[in-house]
Amino acid sequence: MHMNKNALYYLALFCSSLLLSAPLSAIEDDDPDLGAFIEGPSWEEEEVILPPFPKRDDLLKLEVDRVDMPFSFYIDPASLNVGKDGVSRYTIVIESNSGASNVMHEGIRCTTQEYRTYAYGTHDGQFSKAQTSNWTRISSSDAMAHRYNLKAYYLCSGIDRPLSTSESLRRMRYPENFGSGGERSDW
């Protein structure tokens, strides 16, 4: 019997694929979860305790990269913390050029790039819990783009993990001197 070289090549290729696929299918039959994504424990948000209302003299001005914003942003350093659930929580004061201001207590999840508003400041210097409070994707283009700045420059690492409270505060106090990177080239 005489076979041409192409037929012999395809026969060898076919036999090789059978040999390679047989052990893999045998392993998959023994362990149906092999190769599947193994989920860790489901994420659960810890209970949020509202901090004291911020004092004007204690606020840190937050530098944002949108010069066209008609607002100034201030963080209450005493309110900043990273929970065991990985959420960076803070109180922010947003002041318009006319002097009107809003106070909010919020959280940012670096891993999902989402924020949540827990409470709003009232005219009598108290917090009122938000009526609806859902995790919402952070946008860099809306009027509240400060959240994008908080995520990108102050609260989250380059791999979407929360920075420590002390590192976040350092970045807020010295916004152009980021230890390893020097001045921000993206501003």
Side-chain angles (χ1 to χ4, degrees):
M1 179 162 110
H2 184 271
M3 295 183 110
N4 76 25
K5 287 183 180 181
N6 282 342
L8 192 56
Y9 171 77
Y10 288 115
L11 181 61
L13 187 63
F14 176 74
C15 290
S16 298
S17 65
L18 284 177
L19 288 173
L20 290 175
S21 64
L24 292 176
S25 63
I27 291 172
E28 287 176 4
D29 289 343
D30 290 343
D31 186 359
D33 290 330
L34 185 67
F37 177 74
I38 300 172
E39 288 190 36
S42 63
W43 180 79
E44 190 172 317
E45 186 171 17
E46 65 185 41
E47 181 183 353
V48 176
I49 299 170
L50 295 176
F53 204 77
K55 296 178 183 158
R56 179 79 179 142
D57 292 341
D58 296 338
L59 299 177
L60 283 175
K61 185 167 184 172
L62 188 68
E63 298 295 327
V64 295
D65 62 359
R66 299 260 322 259
V67 293
D68 61 334
M69 290 291 246
F71 305 107
S72 295
F73 302 94
Y74 302 90
I75 293 286
D76 177 16
S79 71
L80 182 63
N81 71 71
V82 179
K84 291 179 183 172
D85 57 4
V87 176
S88 298
R89 293 182 180 85
Y90 56 90
T91 298
I92 189 160
V93 177
I94 303 171
E95 196 172 86
S96 73
N97 291 343
S98 66
S101 64
N102 286 314
V103 178
M104 296 178 285
H105 187 67
E106 299 184 323
I108 288 182
R109 276 186 78 192
C110 297
T111 56
T112 60
Q113 300 181 17
E114 295 174 306
Y115 77 92
R116 183 175 183 178
T117 303
Y118 299 105
Y120 297 95
T122 62
H123 66 280
D124 60 348
Q126 302 293 317
F127 278 115
S128 174
K129 286 191 175 185
Q131 296 294 324
T132 58
S133 180
N134 299 311
W135 288 104
T136 305
R137 187 89 171 151
I138 294 171
S139 171
S140 63
S141 60
D142 65 12
M144 296 291 119
H146 67 278
R147 295 179 185 115
Y148 176 81
N149 281 259
L150 281 165
K151 178 194 76 71
Y153 305 124
Y154 301 111
L155 301 179
C156 304
S157 71
I159 57 171
D160 292 332
R161 299 286 181 250
L163 296 170
S164 68
T165 301
S166 61
E167 175 62 15
S168 292
L169 287 172
R170 185 185 71 74
R171 288 180 176 212
M172 289 175 190
R173 287 185 175 112
Y174 311 105
E176 294 182 348
N177 187 9
F178 279 33
S180 62
E183 291 191 4
R184 289 188 213 160
S185 59
D186 50 349
W187 274 27

